[in-house]
Amino acid sequence: MRGRPVLVVLGVSLLAVLLSVGAGFGSAALVGDDDGTERFARPSYPANTDVLPELIAEASDSAPGRSIILADGGTGLFSSGYVLFAADTDAVRGVSEIDERIGSDNYSVTTQLAPDGKRLAVGDASGSFGDVLVVDLETGVARGYPVLGGKTGWVEVLAWSPDGKRLAFSTDGLGILDVESGKVTRVAAPSTGSTPKTELLPGEQPMPDGDGVAPKTFETVSGAQAAFSPDGRSIAYDDGVNVEVYAADGTGSPTLITDKAVWLAGAAAWSPDGKRLLVTRDELTATDGATSLLAIDVATRTATRVATFDYLDFSAPMPVGWRGPDEVLLSGADEESALVVDAYGLDGTQGERLITFGYSTYSAQFAAGLIGSAVARDGGFSGGPTPTWFRASVGVVSGLAFALVCAIAGVAIGVPLVMRRRAARRRVSPVPLVYPVTPGGFAPPGGFAPPFPTFAPGGGVRPGPGVPVGPGGFGRPGGGAGGVPVAAWPPPVVAPPSSAAPPSSAAPQSPSSAVPPSAAPQSPAGPQSQAGPQSAAGAPASDWALPR
């Protein structure tokens, strides 16, 4: 029975652990398991992204489907980094894999959203992976494609082919990755040229209030840009010196488009009809800087100025898609430094504003094949199922809290019970030990009341209140060990063998005289001694005086 408290404690502890685990799993399951997305009849983009869900699921946990925008910095309360906006629903999803590939100096990693919005490519600015990561946005599955990194180990992703099956990337030179077979084709070697010429392009008119052409100010390690032709057979490549057109299969020689100080305007630079390439150039005005957008005729190499944007009004313009061969969609920062998307005709006329991003959004990429035909929508967003990390955190915290409550309750209930049990054990008399026998034939338990046998007048001995004596000369309380139980108290006076007085017919003695024969021990049921006056305990008062 002594092991029972230990078993009880172990059982209660195990029950508390099981309940804590159950509370953790229950709490995690209750924290937002509903997707709740709204579907649209045609591809759409959000007109405003100021308010996003506080919790945004990961694309790897809940695939968004084909997506129309990848925004950097569009965040919720507990989410940060890159956010995907679905094209067919109101879903938004995070892509934490991008943050893992940012360089140690916080150099931004390159990303490319496929024209059909079904895949996302991520480069490597950390030098740790040496591959191209492709995320399938319809399944959430990510796959790495090993490629040979450049001198820095970085991999930059530049452009998708129109069908979304091939990806142009840069390490040392230009390569094209077939994402279905994994085959890599080397298209262009690193440039051996020097600083490009700061001259006007053929047919270009100078900026009206400018001081001529300024050197370009684009600053990256490679400065590489690429854009596939609409049919996917050719690719324009800017290596930081020249803009050239290559065959996408890596055969033949390149065609020089220009060696002037202009930049290929990103992955959407080629017009849908295949006739023009858009380039940008930083220029100086009399008071400020500006960026010019130019259209180069691929056949004649002549250029036309589309528009010139003052840094304070619309900075860093970049094509993100087309609404036909003569209208391009440009992203840039407006006069309030908010990222916006505006439509512009190639004749320089400004069209409508499509999107205004929240102030926390630093940059955005678009599915070029969807954005031109998509429609604007208002309304909220669905962050999807609660992110796994948040649900796990809630589960752990809930389980620990429940365990703490169980521990406090166990202490509050168990300690008083233990104290009561110990107190009860103290109140229970222990099993008496065997005591040596006094000359009177009895042993006092504990040596008290009285500690020594008393001597009656005439040599009689009365034992203290104790135990009967067994045959072995020892006694136990209540009889035991052969002892004769005491039926009444006080026990009779016993005359010692060496000084027993002979029987006498004389009259009864006084309390101070010798003990008469009638005072001999009686049976437990027999009569008591007829000696003098009794005390309150039933014994002669004179018998309790210690001898002198």
Side-chain angles (χ1 to χ4, degrees):
M1 298 297 290
R2 292 184 177 181
R4 180 177 295 177
V6 176
L7 295 178
V8 171
V9 171
L10 291 177
V12 172
S13 301
L14 179 60
L15 179 61
V17 170
L18 294 177
L19 291 176
S20 300
V21 172
F25 277 106
S27 300
L30 291 176
V31 180
D33 197 22
D34 183 18
D35 195 342
T37 55
E38 179 184 356
R39 300 197 66 85
F40 307 118
R42 58 183 296 185
S44 63
Y45 56 85
N48 194 293
T49 63
D50 277 336
V51 181
L52 294 180
E54 294 180 349
L55 293 172
I56 298 177
E58 285 289 311
S60 57
D61 295 331
S62 176
R66 62 177 187 169
S67 300
I68 196 167
I69 300 174
L70 173 68
D72 176 13
T75 64
L77 180 61
F78 297 104
S79 306
S80 62
Y82 292 81
V83 178
L84 285 164
F85 293 82
D88 302 313
T89 68
D90 62 351
V92 290
R93 298 292 185 268
V95 191
S96 60
E97 291 87 350
I98 299 176
D99 294 325
E100 297 171 357
R101 293 170 170 259
I102 295 176
S104 58
D105 56 353
N106 293 324
Y107 183 78
S108 296
V109 63
T110 55
T111 57
Q112 289 294 331
L113 191 59
D116 59 5
K118 294 181 179 180
R119 291 187 174 104
L120 172 66
V122 185
D124 178 21
S126 68
S128 303
F129 297 91
D131 65 359
V132 172
L133 183 71
V134 176
V135 182
D136 188 323
L137 301 181
E138 294 184 311
T139 64
V141 177
R143 176 184 174 184
Y145 294 85
V147 295
L148 182 62
K151 296 179 180 179
T152 62
W154 293 1
V155 179
E156 296 179 282
V157 291
L158 304 179
W160 283 96
S161 63
D163 60 3
K165 296 181 179 180
R166 291 170 296 164
L167 177 68
F169 67 92
S170 175
T171 51
D172 283 336
L174 175 65
I176 295 179
L177 167 69
D178 188 315
V179 296
E180 294 186 347
S181 65
K183 178 183 177 182
V184 174
T185 301
R186 291 291 171 178
V187 177
S191 174
T192 58
S194 57
T195 304
K197 301 174 183 179
T198 57
E199 300 174 357
L200 295 175
L201 296 171
E204 177 191 0
Q205 296 298 317
M207 188 167 55
D209 58 348
D211 290 335
V213 179
K216 59 185 179 180
T217 58
F218 190 88
E219 294 179 1
T220 65
V221 174
S222 67
Q225 298 288 336
F228 277 91
S229 63
D231 61 7
R233 299 172 60 183
S234 301
I235 184 169
Y237 177 56
D238 180 359
D239 60 3
V241 179
N242 300 324
V243 178
E244 299 174 306
V245 174
Y246 293 80
D249 60 4
T251 61
S253 299
T255 300
L256 177 66
I257 299 299
T258 183
D259 59 356
K260 305 301 188 289
V262 293
W263 293 102
L264 185 67
W270 214 313
S271 64
D273 59 7
K275 295 180 178 180
R276 284 166 288 194
L277 281 170
L278 297 184
V279 295
T280 61
R281 180 172 58 205
D282 291 328
E283 301 187 50
L284 293 176
T285 67
T287 59
D288 204 349
T291 300
S292 291
L293 179 67
L294 308 171
I296 300 178
D297 188 295
V298 176
T300 65
R301 317 293 195 271
T302 58
T304 302
R305 185 182 298 274
V306 176
T308 298
F309 304 96
D310 187 273
Y311 286 164
L312 298 180
D313 296 332
F314 192 80
S315 61
M318 181 64 67
V320 298
W322 295 78
R323 280 186 167 178
D326 297 319
E327 187 177 27
V328 64
L329 304 179
L330 299 177
S331 69
D334 66 3
E335 64 277 3
E336 296 181 356
S337 299
L339 183 65
V340 298
V341 176
D342 290 344
Y344 274 87
L346 293 187
D347 59 359
T349 58
Q350 181 177 357
E352 66 173 322
R353 175 157 293 179
L354 282 69
I355 307 172
T356 300
F357 289 91
Y359 288 103
S360 61
T361 301
Y362 309 120
S363 64
Q365 290 182 348
F366 300 81
L370 298 177
I371 189 64
S373 60
V375 296
R377 68 170 180 84
D378 294 319
F381 302 94
S382 170
T386 304
T388 301
W389 66 266
F390 188 80
R391 298 174 68 180
S393 300
V394 170
V396 171
V397 172
S398 300
L400 292 176
F402 192 86
L404 180 61
V405 171
C406 290
I408 294 174
V411 172
I413 298 174
V415 170
L417 291 178
V418 171
M419 298 300 294
R420 292 176 185 174
R421 185 179 182 89
R422 290 183 177 180
R425 287 179 178 176
R426 293 191 191 101
R427 289 194 297 268
V428 176
S429 299
V431 177
L433 300 175
V434 177
Y435 302 98
V437 182
T438 62
F442 289 82
F448 292 97
F452 303 101
T454 56
F455 295 86
V461 179
R462 183 183 301 280
V467 294
V469 181
F474 292 85
R476 290 198 177 121
V484 180
V486 180
W489 181 259
V493 176
V494 180
S498 59
S499 59
S504 173
S505 60
Q509 301 294 322
S510 66
S512 60
S513 64
V515 178
S518 60
Q522 303 295 324
S523 67
Q528 298 294 320
S529 171
Q530 300 300 319
Q534 303 292 316
S535 67
S542 60
D543 291 348
W544 297 101
L546 293 176
R548 297 184 179 275

